[in-house]
Amino acid sequence: MKGQQRNGAIAMAILITLGMTACGSVPTTRYYLLETRATSALPVSAPAVWVEPFTVAPPYDQDRVVYRVGSDDLRVRFYPYDRWAVPLQDMVADLAAAALDGTGGARFQRVAGVREGGFSLRGRLVRLEEIDLPSGPSIRFRLDLALTDSHGREVYRRRLENETAVTATRVEGVVRQMQAALLAGFEQVRPEIAAAMAKVEPGS
């Protein structure tokens, strides 16, 4: 009996050790956000621009972070343990609303769907990825923006795109550079959007 108890104890110890080893070998999944804070302090009565959820082209319309090996790589690769915490269609729209808030004296507000009346901003994220090059990583994005008036007529359209080298060596740093590049793009189009809004006569 004592021998059986001893063998059972040894077997249990082996199972526990194997379980601990297995648990310890699984990498932790990391989740990332694209975010910024609105800087304008406009009154509630200020005109609103409704920022609708953006659309995201495949294969970027998922929670995995995309990367390629070389600018001309046809193969799409995914980081297995680095993921977006929120769908890109919402995060990029939130980023746009915060970055563009105050443009033309208007409040850029996020809405869940299409809103009647006032200007509406729509976007389509065509790509957002890391490019691994012999010289180091780069980030690349392409984003189409469209502004419509209260009648649904398009008054402004612009494609934002950029490919730039980054100094980051970890995915977290690459994501920060993606965020910075997108924010720089939004900053670039602020005067263009303000001018497009100013050309639309109230009530027209």
Side-chain angles (χ1 to χ4, degrees):
M1 181 66 73
K2 290 182 178 180
Q4 292 178 347
Q5 290 177 342
R6 180 183 177 185
N7 291 338
I10 293 174
M12 182 62 70
I14 292 173
L15 288 173
I16 292 174
T17 301
L18 289 174
M20 292 176 64
T21 302
C23 291
S25 65
V26 177
T28 301
T29 301
R30 295 169 290 271
Y31 295 92
Y32 302 98
L33 287 171
L34 298 171
E35 60 182 357
T36 189
R37 295 180 180 177
T39 57
S40 66
L42 296 173
V44 177
S45 58
V49 175
W50 310 112
V51 181
E52 301 172 12
F54 286 10
T55 59
V56 181
Y60 310 95
D61 56 343
Q62 56 178 295
D63 66 346
R64 294 184 294 176
V65 179
V66 174
Y67 76 96
R68 298 177 192 257
V69 179
S71 294
D72 300 324
D73 187 14
L74 297 179
R75 177 180 173 184
V76 176
R77 308 161 198 252
F78 304 94
Y79 282 109
Y81 301 107
D82 295 275
R83 299 175 180 265
W84 298 115
V86 177
L88 279 174
Q89 66 177 25
D90 294 317
M91 278 200 299
V92 179
D94 288 339
L95 196 70
L100 295 173
D101 197 35
T103 299
R107 292 176 296 118
F108 281 65
Q109 296 187 348
R110 281 279 283 117
V111 291
V114 178
R115 179 67 67 92
E116 297 292 335
F119 290 98
S120 292
L121 181 71
R122 301 179 178 90
R124 175 174 172 80
L125 184 66
V126 181
R127 64 173 42 158
L128 180 64
E129 59 196 2
E130 175 189 342
I131 309 296
D132 289 338
L133 302 170
S135 58
S138 294
I139 58 99
R140 179 165 62 185
F141 82 87
R142 180 180 295 169
L143 174 65
D144 293 330
L145 294 176
L147 183 73
T148 57
D149 64 12
S150 59
H151 301 286
R153 297 174 299 200
E154 187 175 293
V155 298
Y156 175 79
R157 174 173 287 273
R158 175 71 184 273
R159 166 165 286 185
L160 300 176
E161 56 185 337
N162 191 11
E163 180 173 346
T164 183
V166 299
T167 57
T169 57
R170 301 172 66 91
V171 177
E172 179 178 355
V174 170
V175 170
R176 290 182 184 276
Q177 293 294 320
M178 289 178 174
Q179 176 176 294
L182 285 166
L183 289 174
F186 292 135
E187 187 65 28
Q188 179 183 357
V189 300
R190 281 179 66 107
E192 298 175 6
I193 292 176
M197 292 169 59
K199 292 180 181 179
V200 179
E201 296 182 5
S204 64

